[in-house]
Amino acid sequence: MLLDNIILFTLASLVGFEVISKVPQTLHTPLMSGSNAISGITIVGALIVAGQVHGAWATWLGVAALVFATINVVGGFMVTDRMLQMFKKKD
Amino acid sequence: MLQDLIKIAYLVSAILFIFGMKRLQSPATARKGNQIAAYGMLVAIVATLVAKPIVTPVEMILGLLIGTAIGWIWSKKVEMTGMPELVAAFNGFGGIASAVVAFGEIAKLIQNTGTDDGEAFVMSTAVTIALSILIGGVTFTGSFVAYGKLSEKISGNPMSFPGMRLLTLVLAIVSIGATVWMVMGAGAFPDDFMTTAVSVEFTEPMIYGAIIVATAAFLLGILLVIPIGGADMPVVVSLLNSYSGMAAGATGFVLNNTALIVSGALVGASGLILTKIMCDAMNRSLLNVLIGGFGGDGQTAAAGSKSMEGKNITEVSSEDAAILLAYAEKVIFVPGYGMAVAQAQHAVRELGDELQKRGVTVKYAVHPVAGRMPGHMNVLLAEANVPYDQLYEMDDINGEFDTCDVAVVIGANDVVNPAARHDTASPIYGMPILNVDHARTTIVLKRSMRPGYAGIENELFFNSNNRMLFGDAKASISKVVSEVKGLD
């Protein structure tokens, strides 16, 4: 399992390098805030711990993580959208 | 069967993330790309919700609602000039979420012993939990120190104290030691964890080990960012961006979750690329930036190698500046952090519009490290409705300064200092710069003659074809706009 995960991580990193090195400088800030929102994928882990396991400690730690991750996800995607909306071509 | 479908759903969400990020390669498709990535997140969330029965729905919904409300309001209210600190703060939330999930995983493993839900605590899980806490913790405090510096709640000057590096080393060793303790604890975990609750002696290494790692990580995050000056923030913000991805990836290893591992790797790679671009644009190594001490507000740094004493600067009035600009054929604006501070982007765009009405070709040249985060200037100019096809990257515009009548430097300093090209003794020697000195005339807008972040005098200001326009950038530009409007 661990080895499979390492293989997956390595391949995904290579894809990441390939895709992102072509992002133009103009979009570097939206790239950061957008990828930031994607790193909020921890929300998945937070949901599991907050809602799907037994034990009060786990649940409340999960809720705390869920709040943080949700801020990251919702705020991140929304603010990126707000920024990208502003990038316009000459009319 | 359901579990296979869930795995496929996570794969779909990872694919959507990749396609979404690919669309960020052009401003025309970028917004769609961000939406595709958001759908990817939705797929992952739904898959998680249906994967296993929900035992504590109220708590879960509560967490989602609070987080959504805070994220929503914050992202709606933030000013574009406040974007660097917002990105830093969101980064920090992502980091702490990863660390707390890892703690939750420990709680789950320990509390469910003696029940049917009990799971083995294996050594590799202990390593990944420790990693997740470590990276998440560093990301959290590091991002919030960066937040403080960017929002000027704490000083942007580099800070350090005697023994700082030694302390960093000690903390690194402590966190490795605590990780080893956790791994050994996991190895000693009793085999009958499903029939009897595990006794304290077996759970202690997990709980206390994790707390020690977290404490060390929090301190390391602070130590990572305090020695770094305001102008080096683009590097740190990019690096922390990468860390937040790696923290999510590490959590993916803890939970054996494809979506987390793939997206963590993507974000980790993205942050690293930005970090490298920022370092290259300053001609410095990452290590050199991280050691810090460079780039405060200019008051503490060393003086330049070459004294500018005895040389004169030429001031220009807004009337004369207006005439220079209005009768030019080509004008290039060079924005820097000063434009953001003065919130002058709208005034700049207005000036650009007025000049274009008069038939002047107007372009904008943006240095990769202008501002406090990658792409900072581009966002501000986009906010002011400057079309993105007028914004040029350094390599694409540098040849054009030779045919440019007036280059207008607004609050940029070191990125236009010609000393970087020829003065081997200068601290910024070798840094790629915008060749504004090749323009027929340069106009530099500045508050005063205070040097830039590197603390060095700028040769450009003393060139015979340079004109200084002193004052607040926004007020100065607005004055020039009305002068241009007054001309026929």
Side-chain angles (χ1 to χ4, degrees), chain A residues 1 5 19 24-27 29 32 35-36 39 41-42 45 50-55 61 66 72 77 81-82 88, chain B residues 24-25 31 34 48 55-56 75-76 78 87 94 100 108 111 117 237 256 267 274 366 374-375 378 387-388 393:
Chain A
M1 194 68 114
N5 288 343
V19 170
Q25 184 190 315
T26 284
L27 292 176
T29 298
M32 279 205 356
S35 62
N36 204 346
S39 76
I41 184 73
T42 323
Q52 295 167 339
V53 303
H54 295 277
L61 283 168
L66 189 53
N72 196 190
F77 280 123
D81 190 64
R82 240 186 90 191
K88 289 188 198 92
Chain B
L24 281 177
Q25 288 175 0
R31 194 171 175 210
N34 184 54
T48 311
V55 291
T56 45
S75 65
K76 285 283 174 204
V78 67
V87 170
V100 177
K108 180 189 108 180
Q111 281 185 322
D117 289 336
V237 175
N256 285 314
V267 180
L274 287 177
V366 185
N378 305 71
Y388 61 77
E393 297 187 15

Side-chain angles (χ1 to χ4, degrees), chain A residues 37 40 43 46-47 50 60 62-79, chain B residues 45 58-76 86 89-90 93-94 96-97:
Chain A
I43 194 170
L47 280 170
W60 287 109
V63 171
L66 189 53
V67 171
F68 294 130
T70 313
I71 296 175
N72 196 190
V73 169
V74 174
F77 280 123
M78 283 181 57
V79 86
Chain B
I45 291 172
V58 179
E59 288 86 342
M60 201 162 85
I61 291 167
L62 186 73
L64 278 172
L65 285 180
I66 298 174
T68 304
I70 298 174
W72 188 298
I73 294 168
W74 204 342
S75 65
K76 285 283 174 204
L86 180 86
F90 282 173
F93 287 130
I96 192 68

Side-chain angles (χ1 to χ4, degrees), chain B residues 319 322-327 358 480 482-488:
Chain B
E319 291 93 328
I323 291 168
L324 273 172
L325 290 167
Y327 297 102
R358 304 183 61 95
V480 176
S482 50
E483 294 292 344
V484 172
K485 279 182 181 165
L487 295 170
D488 294 314

Side-chain angles (χ1 to χ4, degrees), chain B residues 443-462:
Chain B
I443 298 177
V444 174
L445 281 93
K446 230 173 136 22
R447 263 180 192 288
S448 66
M449 279 306 286
R450 218 175 72 182
Y453 76 80
I456 42 180
E457 290 286 6
N458 195 332
E459 280 183 29
L460 177 74
F461 304 163
F462 302 92

